[in-house]
Amino acid sequence: MMKGNKSVIASALYLVGNIFTKAVAFLTIPIFTNLLTTSEYGVVNTYTTWVNIASIVICLSLFNSFRSAYVDKQERFNGYCASVIRLALLLFGVSMLIATIAILGVPGIRSDAWMIYSCLIQAFGTFCVTCMTTKYMLEFRYNRRAFYMIVPNLCCVGLAIVLLLVTDENRYMWRILAYAFVYAMFAIAILWSMRKEKTDKSDWKYATGYSLPLIFHGLSLVVLAGSDRIMITALVNSSEAGIYSLVYNLGTVATAIATALEGIWLPWFIVKLKEGNLQLINKKVVYLVENVSVVVIGVMLVAPEVLKVMSAPEYWSGTNMIFPVALAAYLMFLYDLAVNIEYQYKQTKKIAANTIMAAGINIVLNLILIPIFGTVAAAYTTVISYMFSLIMHGYYAKKCVPGIFPKKTYLPYLLMVVAVSLLSPFLVPFVWLRWGIAVVLGVGYLYCMFIRKRFIALQIKMR
């Protein structure tokens, strides 16, 4: 009984930790959309994209090596993590030096020096926090993982709101500085907590050898997720980028739950894949796919009214973009299942190649379609790109492990989600119908999840 209770607590904290990041972003939308103009909101979200890019480029996606190192270097995993974070610190120092030289040498960018430094600092801090959440996920230390998922985001939002309320001008600047400051503090705390671990330079070689190909994968993921906003800013204007960013945040609420459930699934999956227990994996993954599919459909059904409640009227023009954005989030979840297999078999070059091609497709389609159809085109180009990723990653995953994830595992659910995404725009005027379906679906599936035990956390045993 005690072990069962521990499993339930672990599952709950995994869910809370993963969902919290998106939940905070979601619940604070009314605050930030009222304190920031659509243009400022677009600038902040575009800046966030650059932070994600900088984190990958500066720190070389080194945290991706943790999954492999947990198996290969399990007896000294703490020391390995410390070595990797210190290597990232060294790379961060080099990047700050390069940025300073560039700022001094190019007068035109000196006015943006504060933003450049903030971007680099936040990028390194984000990397450190990601290292800790990945480390604790692999070690099943769910309480500490939840801490690093929840507290940094809570501190960022709290400080940003305070600064925005006491300032009247350049509010986007204070929004950015608040996040950079908080992540800087967490980076310092993480480095201090690992001060007693020794640095092993052989770990640097292991980490870079594994992670370097994944830089291109990580950058391509950022391009897939963030290039839309950058290109909308360039091809349309920053106000439209702000509207798209808001819709993207709403449409990807499902991503938070998918990531939460995957946080429960992944450690168990790594163990069972190592054991070669494909029959059990294929049986249990159905529950994971089913759970996420229901969540995505629910988001599509209720999102139009949520958008109106959570934002000012100038954002409502983005309603019809919610459905393709939610579908794209679902496709991303599905291809991540395949990517996890490629990670375990160290097929990092194939991961990078597939994602680069998908990002290229996204950019080309955006260049062609945004000038013709406007901002909404960006949502549909993302769907096409993610569908390509699903096909390619699924193909290579099956080459690594023949028989893994047969089509019957996910195809019926995929077709169902696609159908709902295509029908939802026509159902927007029928509020009571959509919400009625959502309530019936929600209540019915809660019964299935907990009474019929179709919840993934009840189907796998946490360690």
Side-chain angles (χ1 to χ4, degrees), residues 115-135:
M115 187 179 290
I116 295 171
Y117 286 131
S118 295
C119 179
L120 296 177
I121 291 168
Q122 187 175 340
F124 176 67
T126 300
F127 170 83
C128 291
V129 170
T130 302
C131 282
M132 302 308 289
T133 57
T134 304
K135 176 180 183 293

Side-chain angles (χ1 to χ4, degrees), residues 269 273 278 281-282 285 334-335 337-343 345 347 350 354 389-411:
F269 169 73
L273 185 63
L278 298 189
I281 290 172
N282 288 337
V285 76
L334 287 180
Y335 82 64
L337 294 178
V339 169
N340 289 331
I341 297 170
E342 294 174 283
Y343 272 126
Y345 282 82
Q347 299 296 309
K350 286 188 172 66
N354 292 340
S389 287
L390 173 60
I391 294 169
M392 295 304 295
H393 286 300
Y395 170 76
Y396 282 110
K398 289 181 183 296
K399 288 191 71 174
C400 292
V401 187
I404 195 76
F405 303 151
K407 290 181 181 179
K408 65 180 181 180
T409 299
Y410 63 87
L411 190 57

Side-chain angles (χ1 to χ4, degrees), residues 40-304:
E40 289 175 325
Y41 195 81
V43 169
V44 170
N45 279 274
T46 302
Y47 162 84
T48 301
T49 299
W50 285 113
V51 169
N52 294 334
I53 292 172
S55 183
I56 294 165
V57 172
I58 293 169
C59 302
L60 307 181
S61 289
L62 294 171
F63 68 87
N64 282 309
S65 67
F66 283 18
R67 297 185 192 185
S68 179
Y70 184 68
V71 175
D72 295 343
K73 298 174 178 286
Q74 191 168 16
E75 70 284 353
R76 49 172 305 275
F77 188 56
N78 281 339
Y80 177 83
C81 295
S83 295
V84 168
I85 291 175
R86 287 170 191 152
L87 174 57
L89 176 62
L90 178 62
L91 295 171
F92 166 67
V94 172
S95 70
M96 290 290 281
L97 178 61
I98 293 172
T100 300
I101 293 171
I103 291 167
L104 294 175
V106 184
I109 64 173
R110 288 178 188 171
S111 60
D112 293 322
W114 69 272
M115 187 179 290
I116 295 171
Y117 286 131
S118 295
C119 179
L120 296 177
I121 291 168
Q122 187 175 340
F124 176 67
T126 300
F127 170 83
C128 291
V129 170
T130 302
C131 282
M132 302 308 289
T133 57
T134 304
K135 176 180 183 293
Y136 291 132
M137 177 189 71
L138 293 168
E139 294 176 336
F140 288 84
R141 300 171 75 176
Y142 48 87
N143 52 344
R144 295 195 179 189
R145 182 174 189 255
F147 172 85
Y148 279 103
M149 294 294 292
I150 293 172
V151 177
N153 287 286
L154 191 62
C155 292
C156 285
V157 169
L159 180 58
I161 291 173
V162 169
L163 291 176
L164 291 177
L165 289 174
V166 299
T167 55
D168 294 323
E169 297 181 355
N170 298 323
R171 284 179 165 175
Y172 73 94
M173 179 178 72
W174 295 106
R175 169 76 161 76
I176 289 170
L177 289 175
Y179 277 61
F181 174 78
V182 169
Y183 275 100
M185 294 299 100
F186 272 91
I188 292 170
I190 290 167
L191 287 165
W192 178 256
S193 70
M194 293 187 164
R195 65 192 183 280
K196 294 182 180 179
E197 298 288 347
K198 294 182 179 179
T199 301
D200 187 337
K201 291 186 179 179
S202 68
D203 292 337
W204 292 6
K205 183 177 179 181
Y206 180 96
T208 52
Y210 183 94
S211 299
L212 278 176
L214 292 173
I215 294 175
F216 302 102
H217 169 64
L219 287 174
S220 299
L221 285 177
V222 173
V223 169
L224 279 170
S227 64
D228 293 343
R229 278 161 277 190
I230 293 174
M231 296 181 75
I232 290 169
T233 301
L235 297 174
V236 189
N237 55 57
S238 59
S239 291
E240 284 294 306
I243 294 170
Y244 182 85
S245 297
L246 172 61
V247 171
Y248 197 91
N249 286 335
L250 288 176
T252 55
V253 167
T255 305
I257 304 206
T259 303
L261 295 174
E262 191 180 16
I264 298 169
W265 162 264
L266 185 57
W268 177 89
F269 169 73
I270 291 173
V271 172
K272 296 305 174 186
L273 185 63
K274 187 178 179 182
E275 294 174 355
N277 198 339
L278 298 189
Q279 184 177 3
L280 186 61
I281 290 172
N282 288 337
K283 179 182 177 182
K284 299 299 185 182
V285 76
V286 173
Y287 298 102
L288 175 62
V289 174
E290 185 180 280
N291 292 170
V292 176
S293 301
V294 171
V295 169
V296 172
I297 290 172
V299 168
M300 290 180 182
L301 290 172
V302 304

Side-chain angles (χ1 to χ4, degrees), residues 223-224 227-228 231-232 235 357-388:
V223 169
L224 279 170
S227 64
D228 293 343
M231 296 181 75
I232 290 169
L235 297 174
M357 286 189 285
I361 290 170
N362 190 57
I363 291 173
V364 171
L365 290 177
N366 277 339
L367 286 171
I368 296 171
L369 298 178
I370 289 176
I372 300 173
F373 298 104
T375 305
V376 69
Y380 286 98
T381 61
T382 303
V383 169
I384 294 170
S385 302
Y386 282 178
M387 182 63 76
F388 174 84

